[in-house]
Amino acid sequence: MALIVQKYGGTSVGSLALIHNVAAQVARVHARGDGIVVVASAMGDETDRLLDLARALIPHPEPRELDALLATGEQVSVALLAMVLCSMDIPARSYTGAQVRVRTSAVHGKARIEGIDTERLRADLQAGRVPVVAGFQGVSEHGDITTIGRGGSDTTAVALAVALKADECQILTDVDGVFTTDPRMVPQARCLARVSFEEMLELAGQGSKVLHLRAVEFARKYNMPLRVASAFRRGAGTLICEEESTVEAPVVSGIAFNRDEAEFSIFGLPDEPGTAYRLLKPVSDANIEVDMIVISASPQGRSDLSFTVHRDDYVQTKRIIEAILKGFPESTLEATDRVAKLSVVGVGMRSHAGVAARLFETMAREAINVRLVSTSEIKISLLVEEEKLERAVRALHTTYALSVQD
Ligand code: ASP
Ligand code: MG
């Protein structure tokens, strides 16, 4: 008998009809004789609705009270789902995070899961019952309701799977799995049968929205196999697991992209120790995350510095940098928020040369200017003009033969 944790997101439980659909799927696993624990998110956009409700009343609600409010979204969906299951003669019990005791830190709105008490869940499983657990929430050591950050139900599911030593954690959602790239941009994109944790972390970190980054980190840390599949259609989806050493990995598995970028380039800075620090420290002090950084020497003892931030931080960063540059009268600043980043990801890059050369060859052929580059062992990221992004992604998808084979 296998033990599976299945997580259904907001769109999968977005209506009563969809809750019936979920119940039917749970029933199938239960009928097979496997143990199943279900984790559900709030119905549709319920969490946003609750947030709007609070903010319409008070602009900055007390975080403890906001968590008490937001946690109700999940409480509704698990109760409804458990009711339907019971009506189908499948013994089910809904639980809030506090009832299970999903123990978290006390940082309201972004609490960390510290441990999960599994006694009640194990007793249910032993008795053939289906626990249906509210995602996204827990309880602090003071007994207060906490939430673990938007989109956190994926993490709840993985944490439960780890605590229960489940065989697999399945994230059932509105897409068929993890694709070579976003199929809305490249219709030939293919659903990947498997990807490694490392690749998934890069893809999720670079803007592929299928899975919550924290959930993937958690799964990797505890080596919990994760499967992303459709909540609506049959299909094996994508298995995310440890890299298989026996199978030769494809050089490139996927291409992720992110439009929310802004770029700053400062030319003619003094080429001496401490310049980058003087510019970037105030940016980081303002809690602005700097992503790509390139420093290059230019003639006459000068150097140039380029970096990127999230587009939402563009205006604030510009203000900070312009103020600092008053102390560097010979430098010039170019800033734009019309740039996008794409990342080519694959564990096979480790053992293959020439990935970057083919990438630049493709950009040359397409006459797309590469503004910045950064690399890791299994990833090459490029910053390009936003309007060229789509063409770049399509061309690279062809270059690395990622399309559906005919
Ligand atoms: N309902 C929560 C949210 O919308 C948690 C989740 O969906 O995973 O952020
Ligand atoms: Mg949601």
Side-chain angles (χ1 to χ4, degrees):
M1 181 186 116
L3 175 59
I4 292 166
V5 173
Q6 282 198 335
K7 179 258 172 178
Y8 291 90
T11 46
S12 312
V13 293
S15 68
L16 298 182
L18 289 171
I19 289 178
H20 268 285
N21 167 60
V22 169
Q25 301 211 37
V26 173
R28 255 201 307 276
V29 180
H30 189 256
R32 236 174 27 214
D34 287 337
I36 173 168
V37 175
V38 181
V39 174
S41 294
M43 294 173 71
D45 296 328
E46 177 65 8
T47 310
D48 290 323
R49 190 188 72 84
L50 292 168
L51 255 179
D52 290 346
L53 200 64
R55 293 199 175 135
L57 195 64
I58 310 271
H60 299 289
E62 200 48 49
R64 179 186 182 278
E65 305 315 322
L66 192 60
D67 272 359
L69 179 71
L70 295 189
T72 62
E74 271 71 12
Q75 195 172 345
V76 170
S77 37
V78 291
L80 290 174
L81 184 54
M83 278 176 210
V84 180
L85 287 167
C86 291
S87 78
M88 296 161 77
D89 287 329
I90 297 166
R93 278 186 183 169
S94 70
Y95 294 100
T96 64
Q99 279 177 300
V100 173
R101 286 192 73 77
V102 176
R103 289 178 279 107
T104 73
S105 63
V107 188
H108 288 286
K110 42 178 184 246
R112 296 240 138 212
I113 297 178
E114 290 171 345
I116 297 182
D117 297 350
T118 54
E119 292 78 51
R120 283 186 90 167
L121 304 179
R122 283 189 201 283
D124 281 340
L125 289 166
Q126 210 96 56
R129 286 190 294 264
V130 179
V132 185
V133 180
F136 175 58
Q137 57 181 267
V139 61
S140 73
E141 59 175 335
H142 320 295
D144 291 327
I145 294 170
T146 54
T147 65
I148 62 170
R150 296 302 307 272
S153 298
D154 289 357
T155 305
T156 303
V158 175
L160 270 171
V162 169
L164 290 165
K165 300 189 173 61
D167 296 288
E168 192 170 291
C169 180
Q170 302 180 343
I171 308 288
L172 299 158
T173 177
D174 51 357
V175 294
D176 288 336
V178 180
F179 279 71
T180 49
T181 195
D182 189 338
R184 284 167 301 187
M185 187 186 274
V186 184
Q188 299 81 9
R190 183 166 46 87
C191 180
L192 294 158
R194 73 195 288 154
V195 287
S196 68
F197 287 125
E198 267 185 294
E199 287 169 314
M200 194 61 225
L201 279 173
E202 291 284 12
L203 291 169
Q206 304 304 318
S208 162
K209 301 278 182 299
V210 196
L211 270 179
H212 212 226
L213 189 58
R214 235 168 96 195
V216 185
E217 280 167 353
F218 209 111
R220 171 166 123 151
K221 183 166 170 198
Y222 294 98
N223 194 16
M224 172 55 61
L226 256 181
R227 188 181 295 278
V228 179
S230 169
F232 309 109
R233 283 194 290 265
R234 296 274 178 107
T238 304
L239 181 67
I240 303 144
C241 57
E242 268 190 339
E243 205 176 309
E244 272 183 315
S245 51
T246 48
V247 179
E248 191 174 11
V251 179
V252 172
S253 292
I255 306 172
F257 55 86
N258 196 340
R259 294 178 193 276
D260 308 322
E261 301 280 330
E263 179 193 5
F264 291 82
S265 290
I266 303 138
F267 303 100
L269 289 162
D271 190 7
E272 61 193 28
T275 309
Y277 178 72
R278 274 175 70 186
L279 282 150
L280 295 177
K281 173 78 169 36
V283 176
S284 107
D285 285 347
N287 263 322
I288 295 169
E289 200 181 317
V290 174
D291 179 19
M292 301 165 102
I293 304 176
V294 174
I295 301 177
S296 49
S298 60
Q300 277 105 42
R302 304 262 124 199
S303 79
D304 305 332
L305 167 70
S306 297
F307 65 92
T308 62
V309 297
H310 193 281
R311 196 171 284 176
D312 291 347
D313 297 322
Y314 176 68
V315 174
Q316 199 191 351
T317 308
K318 193 152 180 259
R319 219 176 291 134
I320 293 171
I321 294 293
E322 281 170 347
I324 304 165
L325 288 184
K326 293 207 173 88
F328 296 99
E330 281 165 47
S331 66
T332 52
L333 169 68
E334 274 178 27
T336 171
D337 61 352
R338 298 288 102 189
V339 286
K341 182 167 84 168
L342 68 85
S343 302
V344 168
V345 175
V347 285
M349 267 183 220
R350 281 199 202 108
S351 46
H352 284 81
V355 182
R358 290 182 72 198
L359 195 149
F360 288 115
E361 182 191 6
T362 308
M363 294 299 105
R365 199 177 57 232
E366 296 290 324
I368 296 171
N369 191 27
V370 176
R371 304 172 67 96
L372 288 180
V373 183
S374 72
T375 62
S376 79
E377 218 185 356
I378 64 161
K379 176 196 76 182
I380 305 174
S381 298
L382 303 181
L383 195 74
V384 297
E385 264 174 73
E386 190 186 2
E387 58 191 48
K388 306 271 171 62
L389 175 72
E390 195 156 329
R391 193 141 55 84
V393 173
R394 289 213 176 116
L396 289 169
H397 203 268
T398 307
T399 295
Y400 297 114
L402 295 176
S403 298
V404 182
Q405 267 95 26
D406 28 36

